Amino acid sequence: DGGITQSPKYLFRKEGQNVTLSCEQNLNHDAMYWYRQDPGQGLRLIYYSQIVNDFQKGDIAEGYSVSREKKESFPLTVTSAQKNPTAFYLCASSPFRTGKATEAFFGQGTRLTVV
Amino acid sequence: AQTVTQSQPEMSVQEAETVTLSCTYDTSESDYYLFWYKQPPSRQMILVIRQEAYKQQNATENRFSVNFQKAAKSFSLKISDSQLGDAAMYFCAYRSSDFGNEKLTFGTGTRLTIIP
């Protein structure tokens, strides 16, 4: 089945540690996105990538880093510089430059908790 | 930068009744796309309906329809014959048609409760 997979579903991090969230898609989509979801704030864009080896900062990129070495994969690293990392993280992918209202497909999310 | 505003944090409706969720957006672009996504308790994001700004006709998908008012920059979602399974967070989203700026911008969401 085609889809987008995030792992792990739950993740616990000690303060001061970096942690990497995985996102893989087999939909052959060019564009991939990372969003952070907090209560009452909707989904806020962290980073997005529209092509391999290229990515752009979103609205809240500070304390996060990404890579896009393969079309299928877009891992997100939450660094120790992120002061409030406890949140729900969503990865998405979509076709690129279609000229249509093509939908973005979302993974099932990763709940990150700092302990 | 585009912004999306959902002014109703919570809404409730009796089962089988109709409810309308509001969404306004701010943009200087003339061509763009608008979406409503549903997030049930499982937290899986599901597309409900989409609208292309150049189309004047309002989109419909079964019990879901939109009222798209381009001049007013308004994109409300109407759910008819509400069902228990409609209970979820609903997010309005905007995407530019500019090929170099195809990121989705979301509103803060409306939590919809269905009253049996």
Side-chain angles (χ1 to χ4, degrees):
Chain A
D1 281 17
I4 181 164
T5 302
Q6 289 185 242
S7 61
K9 189 172 183 179
Y10 299 97
L11 189 57
F12 296 89
R13 189 195 91 172
K14 292 183 179 180
E15 285 195 27
Q17 285 184 338
N18 292 354
V19 65
T20 297
L21 283 60
S22 170
C23 179
E24 303 275 337
Q25 55 99 359
N26 60 4
L27 300 167
N28 199 34
H29 288 166
D30 289 300
M32 297 188 73
Y33 312 84
W34 274 106
Y35 289 90
R36 170 177 171 146
Q37 186 175 13
D38 296 284
Q41 298 196 52
L43 280 70
R44 293 182 292 166
L45 183 65
I46 305 172
Y47 269 98
Y48 65 105
S49 169
Q50 294 176 324
I51 196 169
V52 173
N53 292 322
D54 187 44
F55 47 82
Q56 289 78 40
K57 293 182 179 180
D59 301 317
I60 55 165
E62 185 176 352
Y64 299 97
S65 66
V66 293
S67 62
R68 187 84 187 278
E69 297 177 0
K70 299 186 299 181
K71 187 176 184 177
E72 302 79 18
S73 178
F74 191 42
L76 173 74
T77 297
V78 184
T79 74
S80 57
Q82 170 50 238
K83 298 305 179 188
N84 185 23
T86 294
F88 186 67
Y89 292 86
L90 279 164
C91 180
S93 71
S94 70
F96 179 50
R97 295 190 176 185
T98 64
K100 301 177 184 178
T102 46
E103 70 177 286
F105 291 83
F106 286 80
Q108 293 191 311
T110 293
R111 173 68 185 178
L112 173 63
T113 303
V114 173
V115 297
Chain B
Q2 295 82 19
T3 57
V4 178
T5 301
Q6 294 179 251
S7 59
Q8 306 155 316
E10 296 183 352
M11 292 281 286
S12 61
V13 63
Q14 293 277 353
E15 194 175 1
E17 295 296 309
T18 296
V19 63
T20 298
L21 308 184
S22 300
C23 173
T24 59
Y25 57 93
D26 186 28
T27 184
S28 59
E29 299 178 327
S30 60
D31 195 19
Y32 46 86
Y33 312 113
L34 297 165
F35 305 84
W36 277 98
Y37 278 87
K38 168 185 176 180
Q39 188 182 44
S42 67
R43 306 198 81 167
Q44 178 68 55
M45 295 286 283
I46 303 164
L47 178 69
V48 175
I49 200 165
R50 71 190 92 191
Q51 175 81 41
E52 291 157 329
Y54 66 84
K55 291 184 177 179
Q56 293 186 345
Q57 186 174 6
N58 289 327
T60 62
E61 289 287 345
N62 300 313
R63 296 184 296 107
F64 298 88
S65 61
V66 298
N67 183 5
F68 173 49
Q69 301 289 328
K70 191 173 183 179
K73 296 180 183 176
S74 172
F75 183 60
S76 61
L77 174 70
K78 185 172 82 172
I79 306 174
S80 303
D81 186 24
S82 297
Q83 300 176 359
L84 294 177
D86 295 333
M89 283 289 290
Y90 285 82
F91 292 98
C92 180
Y94 173 103
R95 181 161 69 82
S96 170
S97 64
D98 176 2
F99 283 169
N101 191 27
E102 292 191 49
K103 57 184 180 179
L104 272 174
T105 299
F106 286 87
T108 51
T110 297
R111 181 175 301 281
L112 179 64
T113 301
I114 310 299
I115 303 167

